[in-house]
Amino acid sequence: MNLTRRKMIFLVGGGAVVAAGSAFGYAATRTPQTAHLPWDLAGKYSDPRMRALSWALLAPNPHNRQPWLADLSEDGIITLHADRDRMLPHTDPFNRQITIGLGCFLELLRMAAAEDGLHIETALFPQGSSAAGLDQRPVARIAFASDPAVVRDPLFALVPDRRSNKEPFDVDRPVAPALLSELAAVVRSGAQFGGTVDPTEVHDLRLLTREALRIEVETPHTYQESVDLFRIGHHEVDANPDGIDFTGPLFETLRLTGQFNREAALDPTNFAYKSGLDAVFANTDTAMGHVWLVTNDNSRETQIATGADWLRVNIAATATGLGFQPLSQALQEFPEMAEPFRQVHERLAPEGGTVQMLSRIGYGPQVGKSPRWPLESRIMNV
């Protein structure tokens, strides 16, 4: 997680900056050593299934939980399972968002296979599924076959550059309305694309997403779920390259001085808690546009299809230079979020259906890669 000027002021104001050049300063500048290696290893496996999987694991997913497990015990087949140890039971009680993340994974797998001239046939939930949650049954059975006529996807070239930008956007740089058409054009799996850069509508959505974020943070069990997934400093990120990472010189300094830890993050009276909340509000408050996907139904198959479309919209935003950050709080199905949930559906799906995803767009700073678990750790039978 890079530091913006706003966050730097907060940290300097907290008295955390120390003289550079000391051993302490050296420790504060350390970066993760292994957590970003999967980005460099993508596509560098001899087995075509592993090659496709090495790209697919770079897909966006909620809280960076990376909830996928692949069974390679059948030749030419990948059986995809959800890792039930990586669910978000408080903020995503029905595993809807996790399922969308698995849909992103499957679409990127398809793209990567096509690069190798391979067509894949995907049977979703071959043993059935439950609306109550994901279980031990497979999410998909994917068969690989050579196909000289398979069409490569032009979006694939931008996969290494795709990011979720969690920094404030430039409020002096508007987003051209024509860019919304470019994002809408890549949707092809059944979701209905919506978007706005109208200042009045953006203002209203800024307020709605800010309130939803406040509710998630001020609801103890949902906020605890996020804090449990904080990875503070390069050692924690390398040890557990998932969740919400806090790295970089000033976060390392805060960690080393004891000013930023899970206890401080959970204490509403703590300076770190208050300033951290201000920092995340800076994201909702600097949205320069919003995009969303709506579906007619909310089946597991539809959630997977939504993930495919969402990945494509995210990559298309990358192609235009837009920053892109999902703001899913108002779409969460825990009781305390009922009012923002009602409002966002009334506004974005007035004729009915499910608002599956919502994101802010705008122009922001370049951000780094998200940590990833090694591919081998995501294979069930290794």
Side-chain angles (χ1 to χ4, degrees):
M1 179 176 290
N2 295 329
L3 283 175
T4 62
R5 183 173 179 272
R6 170 188 291 267
K7 292 177 183 174
M8 186 174 292
I9 290 170
F10 138 55
L11 293 173
V12 172
V17 175
V18 295
S22 65
F24 187 101
Y26 172 77
T29 62
R30 304 300 292 157
T31 59
Q33 301 299 298
T34 60
H36 298 142
L37 288 178
W39 291 82
D40 299 326
L41 295 174
K44 297 179 180 178
Y45 291 82
S46 57
D47 183 329
R49 296 174 301 169
M50 290 286 283
R51 205 154 50 240
L53 286 167
S54 70
W55 286 109
L57 61 78
L58 305 181
N61 60 100
H63 271 20
N64 197 28
R65 293 303 284 141
Q66 304 166 53
W68 33 72
L69 285 172
D71 182 346
L72 303 183
S73 58
E74 288 186 76
D75 289 343
I77 302 290
I78 296 174
T79 302
L80 179 66
H81 291 261
D83 186 340
R84 288 178 291 157
D85 292 333
R86 295 175 179 272
M87 302 295 104
L88 298 165
H90 296 295
T91 54
D92 185 29
F94 305 111
N95 308 146
R96 182 188 62 82
Q97 294 181 78
I98 289 287
T99 305
I100 291 172
L102 291 166
C104 295
F105 179 92
L106 286 169
E107 175 67 1
L108 193 43
L109 183 81
R110 183 200 65 78
M111 290 182 181
E115 290 294 302
D116 280 345
L118 297 171
H119 173 76
I120 63 174
E121 288 287 343
T122 301
L124 295 177
F125 302 101
Q127 297 176 18
S129 63
S130 168
L134 297 170
D135 52 32
Q136 76 282 359
R137 292 174 291 181
V139 171
R141 186 175 186 273
I142 305 122
F144 284 65
S146 179
D147 182 359
V150 71
V151 178
R152 294 183 177 184
D153 198 310
L155 291 176
F156 183 77
L158 292 161
V159 168
D161 300 320
R162 185 208 62 78
R163 301 286 188 271
S164 294
N165 193 323
K166 303 178 181 69
E167 300 292 350
F169 292 155
D170 185 349
V171 295
D172 295 320
R173 189 176 178 188
V175 175
L179 292 183
L180 295 177
S181 298
E182 295 186 32
L183 303 189
V186 303
V187 172
R188 68 181 198 181
S189 298
Q192 303 158 39
F193 176 90
T196 185
V197 294
D198 177 81
T200 300
E201 295 177 348
V202 169
H203 171 75
D204 291 346
L205 286 170
R206 283 179 178 177
L207 295 178
L208 196 160
T209 53
R210 178 189 239 264
E211 174 63 7
L213 182 58
R214 183 195 65 78
I215 290 172
E216 184 187 84
V217 171
E218 294 185 2
T219 301
H221 60 99
T222 58
Y223 183 48
Q224 182 73 61
E225 186 169 78
S226 291
V227 173
D228 287 344
L229 294 172
F230 282 8
R231 312 302 187 210
I232 302 171
H234 67 280
H235 287 300
E236 287 193 6
V237 171
D238 277 336
N240 288 286
D242 57 15
I244 304 166
D245 63 295
F246 294 91
T247 56
L250 291 178
F251 279 121
E252 295 286 355
T253 300
L254 282 178
R255 177 185 65 83
L256 291 166
T257 58
Q259 296 186 61
F260 182 45
N261 52 43
R262 290 170 187 81
E263 292 72 23
L266 285 167
D267 180 2
T269 68
N270 190 283
F271 181 77
Y273 173 96
K274 295 175 181 178
S275 298
L277 191 58
D278 286 344
V280 293
F281 282 157
N283 290 349
T284 58
D285 296 349
T286 59
M288 297 303 290
H290 294 86
V291 296
W292 56 88
L293 294 181
V294 177
T295 60
N296 292 329
D297 67 82
N298 194 29
S299 68
R300 289 294 177 201
E301 291 78 7
T302 294
Q303 292 164 9
I304 291 288
T306 297
D309 280 337
W310 193 243
L311 172 78
R312 300 179 65 79
V313 171
N314 191 171
I315 298 176
T318 302
T320 68
L322 282 172
F324 189 94
Q325 182 194 9
L327 296 173
S328 297
Q329 289 79 18
L331 310 181
Q332 293 169 349
E333 297 128 309
F334 60 92
E336 293 85 350
M337 196 62 74
E339 181 55 22
F341 184 91
R342 183 194 66 77
Q343 290 180 27
V344 79
H345 279 79
E346 185 178 83
R347 176 178 290 274
L348 303 183
E351 298 179 2
T354 300
V355 183
Q356 298 284 3
M357 294 299 290
L358 171 64
S359 179
R360 70 183 181 114
I361 55 173
Y363 295 98
Q366 289 189 338
V367 296
K369 304 166 184 174
S370 295
R372 285 294 187 271
W373 283 97
L375 173 58
E376 291 75 10
S377 71
R378 304 288 82 211
I379 307 301
M380 296 177 67
N381 49 326
V382 170

